[in-house]
Amino acid sequence: MKQKIRWGIIGLGKIAHSFAKDLQLVKDAELYAVASRSKEKAEDFGSAYAVSRTFGSYEELFACKEVDVVYIATPHTAHCNWSIMAMEAGKAVLCEKPLGVNTREVEAMIAASEKNNVFLMEALWSRFNPSISKVKEIVDSRELGPVQYLHADFAFYALDRSEDGRLLNPSLAGGSLLDIGIYPIFLAYLMLGVPDSILSTTKSHATGVEVQAAMILEYPGCMALLYSGLTSRSEMKAEISSTRGSIYLHSRWHESQGYTIDRSGEQEYYELPTLGKGYSHEIEEVHRCIGAGKRESELWSHTNSLELMRILDQVRQENNLLFPFEA
């Protein structure tokens, strides 16, 4: 029988629960250990998923010899530090998006992966969504001709949340851009590559974080119109239009269960459901890469994470968005 890959999780918030549930759907995966700064919280999480080991510190989990790979689900500002510490301990790492809060952090994390010869991947789960993967194949094949226009957004209302919480707190790298704006930018980057130029504007909250970001990414013969916000909801139906038709990723597009192709009003609907919520697909990619002894995925590489972060940095620089810890 094939030995299971044993996972550890640090940062036991909402997303960690979703990830743990999908981990149970991957046959060769085992959630072996979890850690929180609260031992009680780790024990409660562990009992919910029949975890073998629970720890009251992240360092203890990194030192656990049985753990093969660590999923890092802490707030953005801690991604770099904990990922590097895990890799220094010889652990493979799947780190929540954004990989770091700026290019400097992402470069340091990639350097740690190379130095320690361990796997590192940004947990941009949408890259492995079956519908998005299929749409990329169609775009790359130019079946509908070259892309002329791309639109994607991601917005929900969050202004009623605590100003000390992650979304509205500048000390925690708050704002819409790194939390959800990364998704529309990712889609444009995945389908079209690095843009020639970027135009953007933002609106800020009283705390100083941006809560609305509008972006135009310019490519040869094509524009991508992107938006993220914490001031309202949006439909979250992505459109990729080419010379001979359009593709629509169904709402909510970043976790889409299907897509539609429209050729001059003639529509074809395709259903491509995810396994579980959809984290299972990135988990399977991590397993494939670890099994092959790779340090990175070809589908979402270190270069991909670095180029995506550079775009995010450019948007922030254009709008003078600096976090207190970067000053």
Side-chain angles (χ1 to χ4, degrees):
M1 182 182 293
K2 183 179 178 182
Q3 184 176 353
K4 290 191 174 184
I5 292 177
R6 294 161 297 189
W7 285 78
I9 299 178
I10 70 167
L12 304 181
K14 182 179 177 182
I15 196 169
H17 281 279
S18 297
F19 186 88
K21 289 171 185 173
D22 273 12
L23 200 63
Q24 295 173 328
L25 303 176
V26 180
K27 291 181 180 179
D28 59 343
E30 177 186 353
L31 180 51
Y32 185 84
V34 296
S36 171
R37 287 171 292 186
S38 163
K39 176 66 171 173
E40 182 180 1
K41 185 175 183 179
E43 289 174 347
D44 288 344
F45 192 104
S47 64
Y49 300 100
V51 174
S52 298
R53 303 289 302 276
T54 58
F55 299 105
S57 75
Y58 301 157
E59 292 90 343
E60 288 178 280
L61 187 146
F62 299 155
C64 180
K65 294 180 180 179
E66 289 79 12
V67 172
D68 301 309
V69 54
V70 180
Y71 172 58
I72 294 178
T74 63
H76 310 333
T77 46
H79 287 178
C80 180
N81 178 59
W82 294 123
S83 292
I84 290 175
M85 192 176 293
M87 288 186 281
E88 293 284 358
K91 306 302 183 189
V93 168
L94 176 67
C95 179
E96 254 314 313
K97 57 81 193 161
L99 192 58
V101 298
N102 53 42
T103 298
R104 178 186 56 79
E105 287 194 352
V106 172
E107 288 173 341
M109 295 165 78
I110 292 170
S113 168
E114 294 172 350
K115 173 188 171 186
N116 296 286
N117 194 30
V118 292
F119 178 80
L120 168 69
M121 190 175 84
E122 182 176 21
L124 234 168
W125 67 317
S126 297
R127 173 61 184 95
F128 307 98
N129 175 283
S131 296
I132 292 174
S133 295
K134 182 59 181 178
V135 168
K136 178 168 172 56
E137 286 181 23
I138 296 169
V139 168
D140 288 350
S141 73
R142 296 207 164 193
E143 175 186 329
L144 299 175
V147 175
Q148 303 293 298
Y149 166 75
L150 184 149
H151 172 261
D153 58 13
F154 197 140
F156 59 86
Y157 187 77
L159 297 188
D160 54 352
R161 302 196 185 186
S162 168
E163 292 183 1
D164 294 326
R166 179 176 59 84
L167 282 176
L168 300 178
N169 188 339
S171 295
L172 295 177
S176 77
L177 189 63
L178 294 187
D179 192 69
I180 54 176
I182 188 173
Y183 284 109
I185 292 174
F186 148 78
L187 188 67
Y189 169 71
L190 181 69
M191 300 299 170
L192 301 168
V194 176
D196 292 339
S197 63
I198 299 171
L199 301 173
S200 72
T201 186
T202 60
K203 295 289 186 183
S204 295
H205 187 267
T207 61
V209 302
E210 54 72 32
V211 289
Q212 287 183 290
M215 296 147 285
I216 300 175
L217 274 56
E218 295 185 309
Y219 298 88
C222 175
M223 286 189 180
L225 275 59
L226 315 174
Y227 173 80
S228 65
L230 303 176
T231 63
S232 68
R233 292 183 67 255
S234 67
E235 185 183 15
M236 291 184 61
K237 177 183 178 183
E239 177 182 1
I240 304 166
S241 289
S242 301
T243 52
R244 295 193 296 274
S246 297
I247 307 172
Y248 297 92
L249 283 160
H250 303 157
S251 182
R252 299 171 1 130
W253 69 262
H254 74 297
E255 55 184 0
S256 182
Q257 304 297 299
Y259 64 95
T260 297
I261 296 180
D262 187 312
R263 293 180 175 89
S264 301
E266 294 289 328
Q267 294 189 343
E268 302 168 80
Y269 172 84
Y270 298 89
E271 188 174 344
L272 276 177
T274 57
L275 175 63
K277 188 171 178 63
Y279 295 102
S280 52
H281 304 292
E282 69 178 357
I283 293 167
E284 289 171 343
E285 174 64 6
V286 172
H287 286 198
R288 186 189 70 79
C289 292
I290 289 175
K294 297 180 180 294
R295 284 202 309 262
E296 61 184 310
S297 164
E298 298 94 342
L299 295 177
W300 192 251
S301 68
H302 293 172
T303 297
N304 293 145
S305 291
L306 192 56
E307 290 179 342
L308 180 63
M309 181 50 66
R310 285 173 178 156
I311 297 172
L312 289 161
D313 272 359
Q314 190 171 336
V315 172
R316 286 211 291 134
Q317 288 161 10
E318 189 169 328
N319 292 280
N320 298 311
L321 299 172
L322 196 68
F323 299 121
F325 53 84
E326 294 176 311

